[in-house]
């Protein structure tokens, strides 16, 4: 049995708001929440105590493309950024997680190498729909599908009819990369970001979201729209929710922080799909976060070797699309959120509680009796400048180099134990309702 640990703070972010409290921990779980003066223990002084963040959209790329990232580096970066749980996407690993043997390979690659707790999504592709029930039984949290080319040949897309067949094959959450291939345009070889942006217009997202909603409405299935970039798509999403369609929505730090007008020529570290759009669109995403139209903020951490970013030519058409931000998501969102009048309770809702709820991680994302004791001490006022050489993900490529951010992690507890990126890995592998 572990000894009792008590953490005290005048700013504890609880499900019902922020207040002074003392949090008691034993055997990896929160056992009591008392008044600040009611228990003695480690006093965090001016630091805020948050639940560990939950990032449900991470491409670890191992096995098969470990030179792109890997469990050791990705989870170390997550821990450094206040994230204590991730759920790994079924691509861009080789093989992708579209069969039970592939899931076993994923778990074998991850075991003993994770600095945070890790769960796994399965994938839905045209030739594996019969495999989906077995994958669900084997412990994936749900299934990801693309409606457009995924960028890797081993993970082909579904059309709307194929998505409907997938939703009918198994009762599970389906995550959808929603862009309509008929709306996409060929991006010309160019170092101008505008040329790439024009090739993936907002209408591509809106039409694809409408197609996903039509399938969800017909089947009654539960769907989740990944990395919403185009605020135009919020119109059909709001209407569908009013009609009772079971749909949730995420966006990402890069869509909330960056502005298409500020992307320099040839700066392919900014390329992602769907793309970073303009400031008015960014404001609309923030408004949707504020009113619940968007549920959560996750990274879509999608790194690659620098050579695939085409830095020599700066060609946006040829460069790999993905932004690496596991370590920086919290301060990125907090810096902009605070400027817009939001508080830490909003941050916790967007980046801890709602991602955990959507994925079915019942013990994560909240400071409550019975929850896992995954906790973060945050200095919400401390500033720092992003130095790529201090990032823990495998390749220090970032569009945020030199950016001044607010919010520094001062301590992290995983299952009630203090941990740091320099410690040996202590993360667990997760399945719905089970750890191993």
């Amino acid at each position: 049995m572990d000894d009792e640990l008590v953490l005290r703070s005048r700013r504890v972010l609880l499900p019902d708001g922020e207040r002074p409290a003392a949090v008691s921990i034993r055997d990896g779980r929160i056992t009591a929440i008392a008044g600040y003066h009611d228990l003695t223990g480690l006093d965090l002084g001016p630091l805020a105590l948050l639940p560990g963040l939950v990032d449900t959209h991470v491409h670890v790329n191992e096995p098969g493309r470990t030179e792109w990232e890997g469990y050791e580096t990705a989870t170390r970066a997550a821990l450094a950024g206040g994230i204590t749980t991730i759920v790994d996407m079924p691509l861009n690993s080789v093989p992708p997680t579209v069969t039970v043997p592939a899931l076993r390979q994923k778990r074998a690659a991850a075991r003993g190498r994770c600095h945070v707790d890790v769960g796994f999504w399965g994938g839905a592709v045209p030739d594996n729909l019969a495999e989906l029930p077995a994958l669900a039984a084997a412990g994936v949290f749900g299934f990801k599908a693309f409606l457009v080319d995924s960028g890797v040949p081993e993970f082909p897309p579904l059309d709307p009819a194929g998505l409907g067949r997938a939703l009918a094959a198994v009762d599970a959450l389906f995550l959808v990369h929603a862009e309509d291939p008929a709306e996409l345009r060929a991006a010309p070889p160019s170092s101008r970001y505008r040329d790439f942006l024009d090739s993936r217009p907002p209408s591509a997202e809106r039409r694809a979201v409408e197609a996903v909603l039509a399938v969800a409405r017909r089947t009654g299935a539960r769907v989740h729209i990944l990395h919403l970039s185009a605020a135009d798509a919020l119109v059909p999403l709001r209407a569908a929710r009013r009609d009772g369609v079971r749909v949730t929505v995420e966006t990402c730090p890069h869509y909330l922080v960056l502005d298409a007008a500020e992307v320099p020529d040839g700066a392919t570290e900014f390329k992602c799909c769907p793309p970073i759009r303009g400031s008015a669109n960014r404001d609309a995403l923030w408004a949707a976060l504020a009113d619940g139209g968007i549920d959560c903020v996750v990274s879509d951490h999608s790194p690659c070797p620098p050579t695939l970013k085409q830095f020599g030519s700066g060609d946006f058409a040829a460069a790999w699309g993905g932004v690496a931000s596991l370590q920086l998501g919290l301060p990125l969102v907090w810096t902009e959120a605070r400027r817009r009048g939001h508080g830490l309770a909003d941050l916790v809702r967007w980046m801890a509680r709602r991602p955990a709820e959507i994925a079915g991680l019942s013990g994560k994302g909240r400071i409550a009796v019975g929850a896992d004791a995954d906790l973060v001490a945050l200095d919400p006022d401390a500033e720092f400048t992003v130095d790529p050489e201090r990032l823990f993900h495998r390749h220090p490529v970032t569009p945020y180099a030199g950016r001044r951010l607010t919010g520094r992690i001062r301590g992290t507890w995983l299952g009630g134990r203090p941990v740091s990126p320099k410690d040996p890995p202590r993360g667990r592998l997760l399945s719905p309702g089970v750890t191993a």
Side-chain angles (χ1 to χ4, degrees):
M1 299 287 286
D2 291 341
D3 292 336
E4 182 183 37
L5 170 68
V6 174
L7 300 176
R8 303 168 70 236
S9 170
R10 296 187 181 276
R11 302 187 66 182
V12 179
L13 276 296
L14 298 168
D16 60 352
E18 176 183 325
R19 67 173 187 267
V23 179
S24 180
I25 299 160
R26 187 183 291 275
D27 295 333
R29 295 189 181 273
I30 296 170
T31 55
I33 298 171
Y36 175 78
H37 295 290
D38 293 343
L39 298 173
T40 59
L42 177 61
D43 196 314
L44 298 177
L47 303 180
L49 186 65
L50 280 59
L53 302 192
V54 177
D55 192 335
T56 53
H57 195 153
V58 180
H59 293 270
V60 177
N61 306 333
E62 186 177 9
R65 289 192 175 98
T66 309
E67 72 276 13
W68 291 27
E69 184 60 285
Y71 288 102
E72 181 76 25
T73 50
T75 60
R76 185 182 284 119
L79 185 64
I83 298 165
T84 52
T85 303
I86 67 169
V87 188
D88 181 17
M89 282 294 171
L91 73 164
N92 301 304
S93 56
V94 180
T97 316
V98 295
T99 66
V100 172
L103 174 62
R104 292 184 184 127
Q105 286 183 251
K106 273 269 195 182
R107 294 177 70 88
R111 188 165 284 110
R113 304 183 62 215
C114 297
H115 292 266
V116 302
D117 289 353
V118 176
F120 304 91
W121 298 114
V125 296
D127 63 356
N128 86 323
L129 301 189
E131 295 266 358
L132 300 185
L135 262 172
V140 299
F141 282 84
F143 297 93
K144 179 177 185 176
F146 278 77
L147 297 186
V148 292
D149 181 5
S150 71
V152 292
E154 65 274 2
F155 202 97
L158 297 171
D159 60 16
L163 179 64
R165 289 190 293 273
L167 268 57
V170 63
D171 181 13
L173 174 64
F174 277 80
L175 324 171
V176 187
H177 181 129
E179 289 182 283
D180 185 340
E183 290 283 311
L184 301 186
R185 304 158 195 164
S190 176
S191 64
R192 291 199 328 147
Y193 181 69
R194 185 78 228 181
D195 292 330
F196 167 68
L197 179 61
D198 288 345
S199 75
R200 300 183 93 101
S203 59
E205 282 190 78
R206 178 163 177 161
R207 283 192 59 176
V209 166
E210 288 171 342
V212 173
L213 294 173
V215 175
R217 191 185 303 270
R218 185 173 68 251
T219 62
R222 183 173 167 228
V223 295
H224 179 76
I225 302 300
L226 296 167
H227 45 48
L228 187 75
S229 152
D232 286 356
L234 289 164
V235 175
L237 283 163
R238 292 183 192 279
R241 281 177 155 168
R242 287 195 297 270
D243 292 343
V245 176
R246 297 194 297 166
V247 58
T248 49
V249 188
E250 71 183 39
T251 193
C252 305
H254 36 283
Y255 302 130
L256 297 170
V257 173
L258 301 174
D259 176 1
E262 297 173 354
V263 178
D265 287 350
T268 53
E269 62 268 30
F270 288 82
K271 181 182 175 181
C272 54
C273 299
I276 295 156
R277 305 191 188 278
S279 59
N281 182 86
R282 180 181 60 189
D283 291 344
L285 295 179
W286 275 104
L289 269 176
D291 68 18
I294 295 174
D295 296 273
C296 62
V297 182
V298 291
S299 69
D300 189 11
H301 179 77
S302 186
C304 69
T307 53
L308 295 184
K309 279 295 189 181
Q310 303 292 329
F311 290 130
S313 66
D315 182 354
F316 277 97
W320 176 260
V323 173
S325 62
L326 265 174
Q327 190 169 335
L328 298 173
L330 187 159
L332 284 166
V333 175
W334 173 237
T335 300
E336 187 69 12
R338 189 165 77 160
R339 187 179 72 81
R340 292 171 179 265
H342 297 289
L344 287 175
D346 298 314
L347 184 84
V348 167
R349 182 173 72 255
W350 300 330
M351 302 187 76
R353 180 172 63 83
R354 285 299 287 141
E357 289 174 346
I358 290 166
L361 290 156
S362 60
K364 304 294 188 182
R366 58 199 173 93
I367 300 177
V369 173
D372 290 355
D374 302 339
L375 302 164
V376 170
L378 175 73
D379 185 338
D381 302 314
E383 296 184 348
F384 68 100
T385 299
V386 176
D387 176 0
E389 296 304 316
R390 296 180 68 85
L391 300 177
F392 286 104
H393 57 261
R394 188 175 298 280
H395 302 289
V397 173
T398 176
Y400 305 111
R403 185 177 285 263
R404 193 73 177 165
L405 299 178
T406 303
R408 300 199 70 157
I409 307 301
R410 300 300 192 189
T412 306
W413 292 262
L414 182 66
R417 295 185 177 185
V419 288
S420 83
K422 297 180 181 179
D423 293 339
R426 292 180 181 167
R428 301 172 298 168
L429 305 187
L430 307 176
S431 295
V434 179
T435 61

